[in-house]
Amino acid sequence: MTTHPDDILHLTVCTADDGGVCLRLVGELDWESAGDLVETAREQLGRQPRPRPAVHLDCAQLSVCDSTGLSALLMVHRDVTAAGASLRLDNRPAFLDRMLALTGTLDHLTGTPPARTARLDGDGTDAPR
Amino acid sequence: MPTVTVSWLRAPYPSFVVDADGGVVEVNEAATRLFPGMITGAWLADVAPSWLADAHSRFTAAARRRADPPGGHPAEPGPAGVFPVQAARGPHGGRMFAAHPTPSAGGDVAWWLADDTDRHAAEEALRGERERALLLTEASSRLLASLNVDRCMEVTAQLAAEHLADAAVVVAPRSGRRHAVIAASEGRTSRHTTTMDPTLVPGLAEALQGFPPVPSRWIDPLALPGWVVPDGWDGPVGSVVVTPLPGHGVPAGALILLRRDGHAAFTASDELFGRLFAARAGAAVSAARMYSEQATITRTLMAELLPPRLHHVNGVDFAGGYRAARDSERIGGDFYDVHPGATPDSPSLVVLGDVCGKGLEAAVLTGRIRTTLQAMIPLAGDHQQMLRLLNGSLVTSRHTRFATLVLASVRREGGRTGLRLTSAGHPPPLIVRNTGEVEEADTAGTLVGALPEVTARSAAVDLAPGETCVLYTDGITEARGGPLGGEMFGETRLKAALGECAGLPAEAVVERVQMLASQWVGDRAHDDMAVVAITAPHSTHLTAVDGRTRGRFTA
C-alpha cells in the first residue's frame, strides 16, 4: 500500500516479520519529505494494537538523508518510544550509519550500546567509561 | 409640389421635407409634435435644433457638388438611387435623435428622425465601462509594480486624482500617533504626516477601520478640516467621498476624493467605481505593507545572524568565512563566533555550528544557540558541561530540530598554542601540520537539541607556530559539483587542499578552502558553507600584538 505518491520519497507500509508495522523508505529523506515520514509513522503508530510491537523503518533503498531527515528519524523515535514501542532501523545503508555515528545518534536510534563516548575530565584528557 | 403620399404624414416617426435652401416643404404629425414651430414655409434653421439645420446644409451642399462637380461629370447615385450619407445625431428635448436624409426630386431632402436615446445611452455606458476597465487594469499594473508602501500610496493618490476626482488624498493607518497623508492634485503629489483626529472628517474614522464608504451627499465640504484640502487648491470644495482602502485583514488606509465646486458631484456610479478602484489599491498597499514587514523581520534577524569579523585575539590568529546558501529560504543554517578570553591568559572560545532545517525556524534556533553559548563563556573550561546545559535549554517536546557544533578553546602559553576541541555531532576539526600532514582531531559527541542526554569526547591538540586548526561545516564537504556535476567535494579533497596550505596564515587558509568549494559547486545550488581557521602565529621574536598583549608572548 503506497501512502505517499511523491517522487522524492516513496513510503510503503507493510507488516514486518515480527508482526509490527514496517515503513519502507525509498528515495530521499530531506527537507521536503521529512514531514511525510513523521506523519505517516504517527498515523501507523495510532493503528497498532497494545502492547505495541516494534516499528520498523526499512532503509535499504534510502538514497539521501539530510539533517532534516535525521530530525524526522529522531521525532519518529521519540513518538514510538513514547507509545511504549521500540524503533528498528533495518537495512541501514553505509551513508546513514556514517551520519548517525558522526552525530552521535546511532546508539540513541538503534539501541546499540555506546561505543566510544566518554566523560570528559577537567584537564581535557579522555577517560573511558 | 407635394412629393409624398398621405400615409407618410401619419407615420409614427418624425419626418419632414426641406428644400435645398432650407425651407420646410412638408411636415408629418410626429415631426410637428417634436418641433412645434415646424410648418410648411418655415425655415428649418428657425424651428429645428442647430445640429439638424447644419446637417441639412452640409447634405445639400454635398448633393450640389455631386450633381455639378467642378471639373466634369455628375457622380452616379448609389445602388438605391441614394447618395451614401451618414445619419446626423443630436439632442432635442432631452433625448437623442438620429436624422436620416433621403434626397428627393428638385433638390428637396426628406428627413427621417429616429429616437436614439437608449442606444446612445448604452453606447456611452459601454464606453464609460471600457474606460473604467482600462483604468482598473492600468491601476493594477502600476500598483503591483512596486512592493514599496509609500510608492503604492502615491500611485493610488495620483491615479485617483487623475481619473476619479480633481484631487485625491490617501490617509495611511495610524502609526504611533501620526497618520501619513499623501495628497495628489493636478499632477502634483505631496506627502506629510499629521496627528489629526479622523473623527473630524465624516466617515474617515470608520473608513480607517474598514467600514463601507460614506456617500458624498452626507459629507458637508465646508466642514472639512484644512489638511484634507491639498496645497494649491483654489476655491471651495464641491463634493467629497471617503472610501476605505480594504486590506488583507486590516484596512490599508482611506481614500478621500475631492471635486471642485461647479464640477459634477459624485454619482452613485462614480462612488461604486471608486470602491472598485479602492479595492485594488487597498490590496496592493496591503501586500506591500506585509512584504515590507516581513522584509524588516528577515533583515533584523539576518543582521543579528551575520558572522562576526574575526581577527587576532590574545596572540592567536583567527579567520572565518561564510557563504550563504543560494536558496534564499536557507537563512541561518551555519554560524560561528569567537569569544575572546576575559584576560590574555584565559582561553578564547570558538564556536562553529550547523543548525538543522532552513528558513526562519533555523534562524531562530541559531540565535538561541549563540546567545546561550555566549552566556556560558565563564564555563568555557568545561565543554561537556556547556553542551549539557545548551542541550537542556534547547530540547523541547515540540520538535527535534537540532544543531551540530564544534567548540574550540584556544590558549596561548609562551610559544605553545593549546587547543581543546569538542565535536557535538559535527565533522571533527582538521589540523594542518607544518609538514603538510592533515590530521582529524580525535573528538566525537552527540548533536544538541534533540536528545535527552548528550555525551562528548574532547581532544587536546597543540599547534606549533604556523600550524592551523580548521573548523568547517558539511556545506563544504557535501557541496555537489565537480566535472560531472553531482559529485560531493568530500573530506579527501578537503584534506588534500588543506595539505597544500601548510604554513599559510589563517585568512589564506579560509580563502583557499572557500575558493575551492566555490569552484567545485560552480553556479549550482549549495548549502551554507562556513569555515574557521585558528593559526598559531610565527612568533620567534618579541611581538607587540595589536597593542594589548604588551609583547608577553614570545616563542
Side-chain angles (χ1 to χ4, degrees):
Chain A
M1 177 181 74
T2 302
T3 57
H4 202 267
D6 203 289
D7 282 348
I8 301 162
L9 181 71
H10 284 274
L11 283 173
T12 315
V13 182
C14 50
T15 306
D17 294 342
D18 61 5
V21 66
C22 176
L23 296 182
R24 193 168 293 148
L25 279 60
V26 179
E28 304 176 359
L29 181 59
D30 63 4
W31 167 259
E32 285 177 67
S33 57
D36 297 335
L37 173 65
V38 174
E39 217 170 279
T40 309
R42 276 184 187 157
E43 199 181 290
Q44 293 301 322
L45 197 60
R47 292 186 187 172
Q48 298 301 304
R50 287 166 199 275
R52 293 195 167 98
V55 173
H56 296 259
L57 299 184
D58 182 353
C59 307
Q61 294 180 74
L62 187 65
S63 58
V64 166
C65 178
D66 73 355
S67 63
T68 325
L70 175 56
S71 177
L73 292 178
L74 291 166
M75 195 45 138
V76 171
H77 181 270
R78 191 187 277 184
D79 288 345
V80 170
T81 314
S86 57
L87 181 70
R88 299 267 181 277
L89 299 182
D90 297 337
N91 306 318
R92 297 192 300 275
F95 79 86
L96 185 60
D97 262 358
R98 264 202 310 279
M99 179 186 205
L100 299 186
L102 176 65
T103 53
T105 51
L106 187 63
D107 306 343
H108 177 79
L109 285 174
T110 63
T112 47
R116 282 198 67 198
T117 45
R119 290 262 153 201
L120 186 72
D121 272 358
D123 63 1
T125 54
D126 289 348
R129 239 195 330 209
Chain B
M1 178 179 68
T3 58
V4 287
T5 62
V6 80
S7 62
W8 169 85
L9 294 169
R10 299 222 178 105
Y13 290 96
S15 189
F16 48 87
V17 178
V18 186
D19 65 25
D21 299 324
V24 176
V25 178
E26 198 85 55
V27 189
N28 79 350
E29 289 165 26
T32 317
R33 274 199 300 278
L34 192 63
F35 307 113
M38 191 179 277
I39 49 166
T40 304
W43 292 106
L44 181 65
D46 295 341
V47 295
S50 57
W51 62 268
L52 192 51
D54 291 347
H56 180 76
S57 324
R58 275 200 310 280
F59 185 78
T60 49
R64 262 198 298 276
R65 274 200 303 280
R66 281 193 197 90
D68 186 18
H73 306 285
E76 288 294 316
V82 174
F83 288 99
V85 277
Q86 287 208 323
R89 283 168 194 274
H92 178 71
R95 304 190 70 77
M96 286 298 296
F97 288 92
H100 302 270
T102 307
S104 303
D108 291 356
V109 180
W111 286 94
W112 294 78
L113 265 64
D115 189 333
D116 209 18
T117 310
D118 294 342
R119 181 178 138 174
H120 180 77
E123 278 175 0
E124 281 295 303
L126 183 64
R127 199 171 51 83
E129 284 306 311
R130 279 190 182 142
E131 272 174 16
R132 289 177 166 189
L134 272 177
L135 170 61
L136 285 183
T137 310
E138 189 204 340
S140 288
S141 61
R142 274 182 66 185
L143 283 164
L144 294 175
S146 162
L147 275 174
N148 178 304
V149 183
D150 293 346
R151 180 75 196 127
C152 267
M153 293 204 294
E154 246 179 64
V155 170
T156 301
Q158 284 164 358
L159 283 171
E162 223 169 284
H163 299 284
L164 302 177
D166 295 318
V169 179
V170 173
V171 182
R174 203 171 61 167
S175 149
R177 279 174 301 154
R178 290 161 173 275
H179 291 268
V181 174
I182 294 99
S185 71
E186 287 162 1
R188 277 181 311 171
T189 311
S190 69
R191 180 194 171 84
H192 69 280
T193 57
T194 172
T195 52
M196 57 88 180
D197 178 2
T199 56
L200 295 182
V201 180
L204 180 58
E206 291 81 359
L208 285 169
Q209 291 171 47
F211 287 107
V214 175
S216 57
R217 61 187 172 279
W218 292 359
I219 302 175
D220 174 11
L222 296 177
L224 287 181
W227 64 265
V228 174
V229 183
D231 295 339
W233 176 281
D234 47 347
V237 175
S239 49
V240 188
V241 184
V242 177
T243 306
L245 294 172
H248 302 288
V250 286
L255 175 66
I256 305 176
L257 300 175
L258 307 171
R259 279 192 186 165
R260 285 182 200 288
D261 206 7
H263 280 214
F266 292 99
T267 62
S269 154
D270 285 343
E271 284 174 15
L272 181 69
F273 181 67
R275 289 171 77 166
L276 284 178
F277 172 81
R280 303 220 176 181
V285 171
S286 187
R289 182 160 290 138
M290 285 202 295
Y291 171 79
S292 80
E293 275 169 15
Q294 286 216 330
T296 308
I297 292 171
T298 312
R299 220 171 22 245
T300 309
L301 279 169
M302 289 294 282
E304 196 55 34
L305 289 172
L306 279 182
R309 288 189 163 277
L310 302 189
H311 47 92
H312 192 92
V313 177
N314 293 352
V316 182
D317 287 326
F318 297 90
Y322 179 78
R323 190 177 171 199
R326 298 191 70 197
D327 180 350
S328 60
E329 274 188 307
R330 288 171 172 266
I331 53 166
D334 292 358
F335 65 94
Y336 59 76
D337 279 308
V338 172
H339 305 284
T343 64
D345 293 326
S346 55
S348 302
L349 180 73
V350 183
V351 184
L352 173 136
D354 181 358
V355 166
C356 136
K358 55 182 180 177
L360 267 185
E361 287 173 348
V364 168
L365 188 55
T366 306
R368 283 178 68 180
I369 291 171
R370 291 176 67 180
T371 313
T372 310
L373 284 173
Q374 185 158 24
M376 288 195 294
I377 295 303
L379 305 175
D382 187 346
H383 287 181
Q384 183 137 25
Q385 198 192 350
M386 282 185 92
L387 292 175
R388 223 170 19 241
L389 290 170
L390 176 64
N391 188 61
S393 79
L394 296 177
V395 170
T396 83
S397 57
R398 283 176 287 116
H399 58 74
T400 48
R401 273 194 292 280
F402 60 83
T404 68
L405 49 93
V406 174
L407 299 177
S409 292
V410 186
R411 174 187 259 149
R412 180 92 197 269
E413 278 177 303
R416 168 184 174 269
T417 302
L419 267 63
R420 186 160 16 156
L421 300 164
T422 309
S423 155
H426 200 86
L430 297 173
I431 316 298
V432 187
R433 298 297 183 192
N434 281 331
T435 57
E437 261 179 285
V438 177
E439 300 166 12
E440 230 171 60
D442 184 23
T443 168
T446 43
L447 47 75
V448 292
L451 307 182
E453 296 291 331
V454 295
T455 54
R457 172 164 49 83
S458 296
V461 171
D462 271 356
L463 295 183
E467 292 185 334
T468 297
C469 172
V470 177
L471 320 182
Y472 66 96
T473 57
D474 60 11
I476 301 275
T477 44
E478 289 179 9
R480 285 183 185 273
L484 297 175
E487 202 182 339
M488 290 214 260
F489 188 63
E491 280 162 44
T492 313
R493 271 190 203 87
L494 177 61
K495 283 179 185 170
L498 287 175
E500 292 162 12
C501 297
L504 290 185
E507 257 178 45
V509 176
V510 167
E511 261 176 42
R512 178 86 184 137
V513 171
Q514 279 194 306
M515 191 194 75
L516 287 174
S518 296
Q519 282 177 349
W520 186 259
V521 293
D523 53 5
R524 294 174 199 88
H526 59 83
D527 209 339
D528 286 351
M529 299 177 181
V531 193
V532 168
I534 306 162
T535 303
H538 291 280
S539 43
T540 50
H541 54 83
L542 201 70
T543 47
V545 200
D546 68 33
R548 288 188 296 147
T549 51
R550 299 201 199 93
R552 40 187 311 164
F553 301 114
T554 50

